[in-house]
Amino acid sequence: MQDPYPHPEIEAVPLTEVLHALSDPLRLRILATLAADGERGWGAFAAGVSPSTLSHHMKVLRQAGLVRHRREGTRCVVTLRDEIGARFPGLLDTVLALEAQAEPAS
Amino acid sequence: MQDPYPHPEIEAVPLTEVLHALSDPLRLRILATLAADGERGWGAFAAGVSPSTLSHHMKVLRQAGLVRHRREGTRCVVTLRDEIGARFPGLLDTVLALEAQAEPAS
DNA sequence: CCCGTTGTTCGATGATCGTCGAATATCGAA
DNA sequence: TTCGATATTCGACGATCATCGAACAACGGG
């Protein structure tokens, strides 16, 4: 799990992979929290799922170019990757806006 | 396969289901064609996949509230369901615009 | 009334997914 | 250096998915 997490080239991410990454309630919730509150530690999303499950979803988001992971001592910080807005303009904004309005309390 | 195809209430469709329906290249291509050229018969999309596979994807799109199916004699016509624009404003437009620009020749 | 066209349904198969627990690795603190 | 906190990896499991071929149903035309 060494520091250099594998982050893909944003240009190499296909649209369908991003859409698939967005099509899960937990992952959507993670992105919404990040968009609203800025970067967070792992633990902010640990409720309800096991550590390994959370790690899996984080990897999906990272491989889809949606988030960036950074090591900070013993814990890990996740950030929204804003290049996604350049690669697929409007996509994340639109989806997060809809998620906020349609699934208010998830 | 009787005429009354089961079309879901648009309000009952969750966002994640729509996103999942959009996260497939063939389904995305079907929607793009519909958006560009208006309603089409089944056969317009039969290239490359077996009839049963196509039928499966059509069902996914229908259940996600994205298209409407109408029987016309022995063949079947598929239309974009525009209520999706009221349920999830901007979503389909955004995705189709990105698909057109990012995956020009699929 | 039979037949061809068209789409659906039904297994079946191999792939992927979401989830978990257990084992492991890394780091900071005592 | 030992320990606890934190995150990853590794099977494993059941569920879902994308795909196909074969069998079936519905319709229109000869």
Side-chain angles (χ1 to χ4, degrees):
Chain A
M1 93 171 106
Q2 46 278 22
D3 204 331
Y5 286 89
H7 291 92
E9 277 303 323
I10 197 73
E11 293 302 328
V13 178
L15 175 59
T16 48
E17 181 172 352
V18 176
L19 289 169
H20 171 248
L22 293 174
S23 70
D24 177 275
L26 175 57
R27 293 195 288 259
L28 221 43
R29 194 155 51 84
I30 292 175
L31 293 174
T33 303
L34 290 177
D37 304 356
E39 72 179 31
R40 303 296 288 267
W42 236 230
F45 311 105
V49 286
S50 77
S52 46
T53 299
L54 183 60
S55 189
H56 163 68
H57 286 298
M58 287 300 186
K59 191 187 206 169
V60 172
L61 288 174
R62 176 171 10 107
Q63 288 177 340
L66 285 164
V67 303
R68 191 176 289 284
H69 289 160
R70 168 169 42 93
R71 188 144 205 87
E72 196 129 311
T74 164
R75 80 189 55 194
C76 191
V77 177
V78 53
T79 324
L80 267 190
R81 197 170 161 184
D82 46 344
E83 302 110 295
I84 199 70
R87 173 82 168 98
F88 297 118
L91 180 56
L92 187 56
D93 300 336
T94 301
V95 171
L96 288 185
L98 294 174
E99 196 262 354
Q101 156 218 308
E103 264 81 15
S106 98
Chain B
M1 99 175 97
Q2 44 277 25
D3 206 331
Y5 286 90
H7 290 93
E9 277 302 324
I10 198 71
E11 294 302 328
V13 177
L15 175 58
T16 49
E17 181 171 353
V18 177
L19 289 170
H20 171 250
L22 293 175
S23 69
D24 178 274
L26 174 57
R27 293 195 288 259
L28 222 42
R29 194 155 50 85
I30 292 175
L31 293 175
T33 302
L34 255 38
D37 304 355
E39 72 179 31
R40 303 296 287 266
W42 237 229
F45 312 103
V49 286
S50 76
S52 44
T53 300
L54 183 61
S55 188
H56 163 67
H57 285 298
M58 288 299 187
K59 191 188 207 168
V60 171
L61 289 174
R62 176 170 11 106
Q63 287 177 340
L66 285 164
V67 302
R68 192 176 289 283
H69 289 162
R70 169 168 40 94
R71 189 142 204 90
E72 196 128 308
T74 164
R75 81 187 54 194
C76 191
V77 177
V78 53
T79 323
L80 267 190
R81 196 170 161 185
D82 46 343
E83 301 110 295
I84 199 70
R87 174 80 167 99
F88 297 119
L91 180 56
L92 188 56
D93 301 337
T94 301
V95 171
L96 288 185
L98 294 174
E99 196 262 354
Q101 154 217 312
E103 264 82 14
S106 101

